[in-house]
Amino acid sequence: MQLKQLEVFVQVARLKSFSKAADALYLTQPTISAHISALEYELGTKLVVRSTKEIQLTATGSVLFGYATQILGLCARAEQDVRTASSDLQGALSLAASTVPSQYLLPRILPHLRKLYPKVFCQIYQGDSSQVAQRVFENGAELGIIGAPIQKAGCVCTPFFSERMVIITPNTKPYQRLNGAMSAQVLRESPFLIREPGSGTRKHSEEFLRSVGIDPRELNLAAQLQSTESILQGVKNGLGISIISGIAATDFSSIGSILTFDYDSPVLTRQFYLIHHKNRPHSPAAAMLLQELPRFFQDLPAEAVP
């Protein structure tokens, strides 16, 4: 088996698509197919099942996937450790992050990280909180940042930053007349936008709604959307109201595209968590981030972190 074959196989397994794997690896789809076919021929077994919808792993494919992710992770770590053995901190740092950390927290952190460690290259993978935890578990990322704690065998979640979630509405007269005071009745009656299952934002939103006597199943649901940015655009254009990260709402609120409302409830305050595998040694870059990340937030300008 060749490392390139394993890399192709892991991408196909994760993305469940030959074409998406080709895009991710900057290869052609026939090249992807050739690598998988060669690997199957060498091992004498089918590894993937091709269908019109998506790729699925066979039983033997699932076994190989576990080994392949470990092998590729060890190769990446070996390269990082060798590079740092006789020089300053450098190399690639693979991170997985849920939507809010990926789109709104990391862009605030990375410029400061870059100034301190200019030779560290960050690779960011985005998914919901459960997907991030799975990627860390499979050694597809050294560290993860998520908006809700996840119970995953061998993984440790550590809180490092808290924020206030907000209720957002279109900037229209009915909501302007509320004068900044949101009520449970308005939450019940307004068309509501929610995130997908597995989202930390959705989990916290539902906890808040239950805390004020609203069953999430009884909401007037208008749409389920896959990202915070989609929620913001939907609210801006009058599709409904929602509950999202206060950090994510800042830009839209500051230019008047939406209205934001607080609510007298401690449940709207939530933590963000670092997740990592407790039994795997960290690369120097990952160890640095685990130590320095809380300090990055303390050092950011006040306007950068609401």
Side-chain angles (χ1 to χ4, degrees), residues 9 12-19 36 47-58:
F9 171 70
V12 168
R14 283 182 176 145
L15 299 175
K16 300 185 185 299
S17 167
F18 277 45
S19 60
I36 296 298
L47 299 172
V48 300
V49 177
R50 301 162 177 84
S51 70
T52 56
K53 292 184 178 180
E54 64 181 20
I55 300 298
Q56 297 291 337
L57 294 182
T58 63

Side-chain angles (χ1 to χ4, degrees), residues 33-47:
S33 297
H35 279 303
I36 296 298
S37 296
L39 194 56
E40 289 178 330
Y41 178 80
E42 182 178 347
L43 295 174
T45 184
K46 279 287 184 185
L47 299 172

Side-chain angles (χ1 to χ4, degrees), residues 9-10 13-14 57 60-70 138:
F9 171 70
V10 167
R14 283 182 176 145
L57 294 182
T60 52
S62 295
V63 172
L64 179 61
F65 181 77
Y67 284 105
T69 54
Q70 293 181 54
E138 293 173 351

Side-chain angles (χ1 to χ4, degrees), residues 1 40 57-58 71 95 183 217 251 256 266 271:
M1 291 183 291
E40 289 178 330
L57 294 182
T58 63
I71 291 168
L95 301 172
S183 68
R217 295 172 297 182
D251 289 344
Q271 291 277 351

Side-chain angles (χ1 to χ4, degrees), residues 202-218:
R202 174 164 172 172
K203 178 174 183 278
H204 283 282
S205 297
E206 291 179 346
E207 289 175 356
F208 161 70
L209 291 168
R210 292 189 189 98
S211 75
V212 296
I214 299 174
D215 187 336
R217 295 172 297 182
E218 297 174 355

Side-chain angles (χ1 to χ4, degrees), residues 101-294:
S102 175
Q103 295 183 349
Y104 304 100
L105 293 184
L106 286 176
R108 289 169 163 83
I109 298 168
L110 293 181
H112 300 267
L113 182 66
R114 181 74 176 167
K115 288 180 181 178
L116 293 174
Y117 306 100
K119 294 183 180 180
V120 173
F121 173 73
C122 292
Q123 298 170 309
I124 313 297
Y125 304 94
Q126 182 176 310
D128 63 33
S129 293
S130 59
Q131 291 169 334
V132 169
Q134 185 65 25
R135 191 161 193 120
V136 171
F137 176 75
E138 293 173 351
N139 208 26
E142 284 199 80
L143 300 174
I145 303 177
I146 53 181
I150 297 288
Q151 299 295 322
K152 196 74 176 174
C155 292
V156 177
C157 281
T158 306
F160 75 98
F161 175 68
S162 64
E163 70 149 353
R164 187 78 175 163
M165 298 182 71
V166 295
I167 302 160
I168 61 172
T169 74
N171 189 1
T172 56
K173 288 185 179 179
Y175 296 107
Q176 292 169 2
R177 294 191 192 103
L178 297 176
N179 294 319
M182 179 58 64
S183 68
Q185 181 180 356
V186 173
L187 289 172
R188 284 192 184 93
E189 295 176 352
S190 297
F192 215 91
L193 310 183
I194 60 171
R195 286 284 306 279
E196 76 285 355
S199 159
T201 296
R202 174 164 172 172
K203 178 174 183 278
H204 283 282
S205 297
E206 291 179 346
E207 289 175 356
F208 161 70
L209 291 168
R210 292 189 189 98
S211 75
V212 296
I214 299 174
D215 187 336
R217 295 172 297 182
E218 297 174 355
L219 291 173
N220 176 18
L221 294 182
Q224 176 181 298
L225 300 170
Q226 292 294 113
S227 70
T228 299
E229 191 66 23
S230 297
I231 295 281
L232 284 163
Q233 291 291 345
V235 172
K236 172 187 172 182
N237 289 287
L239 182 58
I241 72 172
S242 192
I243 303 171
I244 69 166
S245 156
I247 294 173
T250 300
D251 289 344
F252 276 64
S253 176
S254 65
I255 61 176
S257 296
I258 61 172
L259 299 177
T260 60
F261 296 79
D262 199 352
Y263 202 101
D264 187 15
S265 169
V267 184
L268 282 180
T269 298
R270 71 163 174 181
Q271 291 277 351
F272 287 100
Y273 297 82
L274 278 170
I275 183 170
H276 64 96
H277 203 290
K278 65 181 179 181
N279 295 325
R280 295 188 189 126
H282 297 299
S283 69
M288 172 276 298
L289 192 63
L290 276 173
Q291 180 178 350
E292 299 287 353
L293 194 58

